[in-house]
Amino acid sequence: MQASKLSFQRIVWYLAFALLFSFVIPIFFSWFGVDEITMMEIILFGINVVYVIATGIYAGKRAEKLWLLALFPVCYAIGCDFFFDSHAIYFAVVYLMLAGFSYGMVRD
């Protein structure tokens, strides 16, 4: 499989979705008054997991650069202190591993 060219626009899209899932979704949950336990369950174990697996599969099928998958865990680690307890920072490593596994799963 031939590697695709990496454009600035594609990098911006990866970064925009990373920021959306790292900052905007937790802000919406906070505005709606969702308690912290429910917010952690839905965001950390649900939405973010589905997002990183989908991103890994998408990047793997398009033969994107592997470092693009690190944008979300880095953004998540930066925003983690604003929305979650201190132990939630370890999910950044889990998200990076899940993205890498799903990326490798679809590669030829």
Side-chain angles (χ1 to χ4, degrees):
M1 180 176 273
Q2 185 179 6
S4 64
K5 290 184 179 180
L6 187 61
S7 68
F8 178 74
Q9 182 181 9
R10 196 169 298 154
I11 295 171
V12 169
W13 276 110
Y14 275 98
L15 186 59
F17 276 104
L19 292 174
L20 172 78
F21 282 91
S22 298
F23 292 100
V24 176
I25 290 177
I27 288 172
F28 280 139
F29 273 77
S30 297
W31 281 349
F32 290 122
V34 177
D35 63 295
E36 189 170 342
I37 299 297
T38 305
M39 189 166 81
M40 287 182 71
E41 289 173 356
I42 294 172
I43 294 175
L44 298 183
F45 295 111
I47 296 172
N48 288 352
V49 170
V50 171
Y51 169 69
V52 297
I53 291 172
T55 303
I57 291 170
Y58 176 79
K61 285 187 176 184
R62 295 184 53 95
E64 300 282 9
K65 302 290 184 188
L66 192 58
W67 64 268
L68 287 172
L69 298 178
L71 288 176
F72 173 70
V74 168
C75 290
Y76 169 79
I78 291 169
C80 185
D81 289 335
F82 297 116
F83 305 108
F84 303 109
D85 291 334
S86 62
H87 65 276
I89 191 77
Y90 299 113
F91 277 92
V93 176
V94 173
Y95 295 150
L96 186 61
M97 289 173 40
L98 283 173
F101 290 152
S102 59
Y103 179 88
M105 182 177 66
V106 296
R107 290 294 305 212
D108 289 342

